[in-house]
Amino acid sequence: MKLYEVILLTLPVKFLNLVISVIPAYFIWNWIIPDIFSLPEIGLFQMAGLVILIQCITSSGFISVNTD
């Protein structure tokens, strides 16, 4: 399978994963964090950016290429 085919097949899965992870994190953040740490409430796009940033820091990337 070619690289562009892999990218086209994984993009919808990544997008669905992002949507599924952003919505609960958004509600939990706005419910708990402002009261505990006196931080402001954030919007959905800000939470999406935060989730993407965390995924980039903690994962090896969007596409893992097997070099064995």
Side-chain angles (χ1 to χ4, degrees), residues 4-65:
Y4 71 89
E5 292 173 341
V6 171
I7 292 172
L8 288 176
L9 290 174
T10 58
L11 280 179
V13 174
K14 293 292 184 179
F15 180 75
L16 184 64
N17 183 24
L18 179 66
V19 170
I20 290 172
S21 64
V22 163
I23 293 172
Y26 167 76
F27 286 114
I28 291 171
W29 176 283
N30 287 332
W31 177 44
I32 296 174
I33 298 300
D35 293 335
I36 295 176
F37 299 110
S38 299
L39 293 173
E41 292 185 357
I42 62 175
L44 277 173
F45 290 115
Q46 291 172 324
M47 181 54 73
L50 187 61
V51 168
I52 290 171
L53 177 66
I54 292 169
Q55 285 178 351
C56 289
I57 291 172
T58 59
S59 70
S60 61
F62 287 109
I63 299 170
S64 61
V65 178

